Amino acid sequence: MIEKFLKEFGITMALPVERVGRSFFVVRDKDLLSKMPVYINECIAHLRGETVLPSVGFLQRIGKRAKWRVVVNSDGEWLFICGRDLFGKSIVSHNNPQPGDRVVVLNQHGECLGYGDVAAPLDEKRVVVRRLFDIGHLLRRGKKKRF
Amino acid sequence: MVSGGREFFSKRYEQLGGLLADVKLPQTVRVNTLKITAKELLARLGEQGVVLKRVPFTRDGYWVEESKFSLGATTEFLLGYYSLQESAAQLPVEVLDPRPGELVLDCCASPGGKTTQLSARMEGRGTIVSFELKEHRLPGLLMNLERCGVENSVVFAGDVSQVKSWKLEFDRVLLDAPCSGNYLSEPGWLEKRTLDGIERSAAIQKRLLKSAVSVLKSGGVLVYSTCSLEPEEDELNIQWVLDNLPVRLEKVSLSVGDPALTQVFGKKLSPDIALCRRLWPHKTNTEGFFIAKLVKL
């Protein structure tokens, strides 16, 4: 499931993950796994319905290896982590993704804020990246249904 | 006899040599050294107009002197570069002083401020076994572990007493016990709390102390802390520990707070209890706190 999720970003990576409840972990303390923890070692992702949502840490690994990326200015950064789509004017650089491509969204420090799908040519003055996931979901999760 | 309310607690604190004073606590952040250095974080937040001042009695704490926005919703917060953690609440882990590679028990872990702090002090190495009994408090704990990039914690839902059957011996144990809190911790605290409730908390704390000591290795360190100013949950519990469990007290070396009380409402306690530390808000400009450091014999 995680491998399939990573392929959407053009990443091929095999991870020895263990599923605990609705979350996935890379487990080092294997002797404690049998004691039924709710969280163990490195959290990779969570499952919400059929959707895989990466952890903040794993998102940074995706951000470094994803095929397509856009870099946003500070205004775009703030709006994006509040759950908004990206307008063309927020994008300061990119590596030429096309409509339909899945892109990671980086700030000017190179930190991955989330990802979305390119909805229109990136130089247009309208929504050009439809947000799918952003780090602000940490604060929003549990409060409303949209991730 | 009234055993709650402002007047009751005010008189009580005066009898203990303290004071019930309204104190406005400064917001405090703790740098998450698992992810960033203090220098880097201060520079980044400084560019955004946030003014931080180092808390002199903590390793990684900073008071927020100026900020035009909430520090609980920034990119830096969401990426886990810092946590919002009151300055006194940072002290138990500093006193416990866990080392990389150790096996540490975190008895009552939510909301995870101290668990993430333990991991940072351990440089992410070793194992923290964390317990949280209250299910509704788990999501906050797990969110903080994930946000702060903690990779050496294993969290269990349930009472810490179950760890006794696992045949583990811990190098260090943090028991930041559930307590009645203090009058700065919650609006209306003075009206809500009663002596009965405080005594019920103290009974739970004794049970937790017994469990914690039982899984500590000989020579291992246990830090017991509460954010309560009530001696039933603090000095009197430690007296009970000295009377009933195989431990000795070690000095809590902090530059803030007072030696704990050795006489409570006319009752003389072990002079060793002065090795513990009691933080009165009006003296320290922090929450009320009590910290004891115990070593298993």
Side-chain angles (χ1 to χ4, degrees), chain A residues 26 28-29 31-43 46 53-57 59-61 77-78 81 107 109 111-113 133-139 141, chain B residues 35 44 47 72-81 103 124-129 138-139 142-147 149-157 162 165-166 168:
Chain A
V26 173
R28 195 191 62 237
D29 292 302
D31 49 335
L32 289 170
L33 198 55
S34 62
K35 309 287 186 194
M36 307 286 283
V38 293
Y39 188 102
I40 181 162
N41 299 141
E42 185 186 359
C43 180
H46 309 282
L53 302 176
S55 69
V56 173
L59 181 66
Q60 300 315 305
R61 286 161 71 178
E77 173 177 346
W78 172 246
I81 66 171
N107 65 10
H109 293 281
E111 293 149 344
C112 188
L113 307 170
F133 175 80
D134 69 275
I135 55 173
H137 94 285
L138 279 173
L139 299 180
R141 78 183 179 199
Chain B
K35 288 201 166 185
R44 272 186 70 155
E47 283 170 14
T74 65
T75 298
E76 290 80 6
F77 176 80
L78 292 168
L79 290 171
Y81 293 172
L103 180 62
R125 290 183 279 143
T127 301
I128 305 163
V129 176
L138 276 170
L142 305 189
M143 185 271 272
N144 276 321
L145 295 178
E146 178 190 327
R147 186 180 63 83
V150 171
E151 295 179 8
N152 65 328
S153 175
V154 187
V155 181
F156 297 91
Q162 67 185 277
S165 63
W166 295 1
L168 293 174

Side-chain angles (χ1 to χ4, degrees), chain B residues 11 16 48 75 88 94 117 119 127-128 178 207 215 235 250 253:
Chain B
K11 277 187 187 161
L16 297 170
Q48 299 168 57
T75 298
E94 302 232 351
Q117 191 184 3
S119 183
T127 301
I128 305 163
R207 183 178 61 75
V215 294
E235 287 90 346
E250 204 162 83
S253 295

Side-chain angles (χ1 to χ4, degrees), chain B residues 213-268:
Chain B
V213 171
S214 73
V215 294
L216 188 61
K217 76 176 189 188
S218 180
V221 175
L222 162 66
V223 165
Y224 171 79
S225 59
T226 74
C227 62
S228 168
L229 292 165
E230 313 312 315
E232 291 83 354
E233 300 178 86
D234 299 336
E235 287 90 346
L236 294 174
N237 265 351
I238 295 304
Q239 182 64 58
W240 177 86
V241 169
L242 295 177
D243 292 343
N244 294 282
L245 301 174
V247 292
R248 64 177 168 81
L249 278 167
E250 204 162 83
K251 186 174 182 186
V252 173
S253 295
L254 288 173
S255 60
V256 66
D258 292 338
L261 307 170
T262 54
Q263 189 159 340
V264 172
F265 306 129
K267 183 180 177 185
K268 275 200 167 180

Side-chain angles (χ1 to χ4, degrees), chain A residues 8-39:
Chain A
E8 293 170 2
F9 298 91
I11 301 170
T12 308
M13 190 197 299
L15 274 174
V17 296
E18 301 278 354
R19 185 170 170 176
V20 174
R22 294 191 299 164
S23 302
F24 298 92
F25 297 87
V26 173
V27 176
R28 195 191 62 237
D29 292 302
K30 290 192 185 294
D31 49 335
L32 289 170
L33 198 55
S34 62
K35 309 287 186 194
M36 307 286 283
V38 293
Y39 188 102

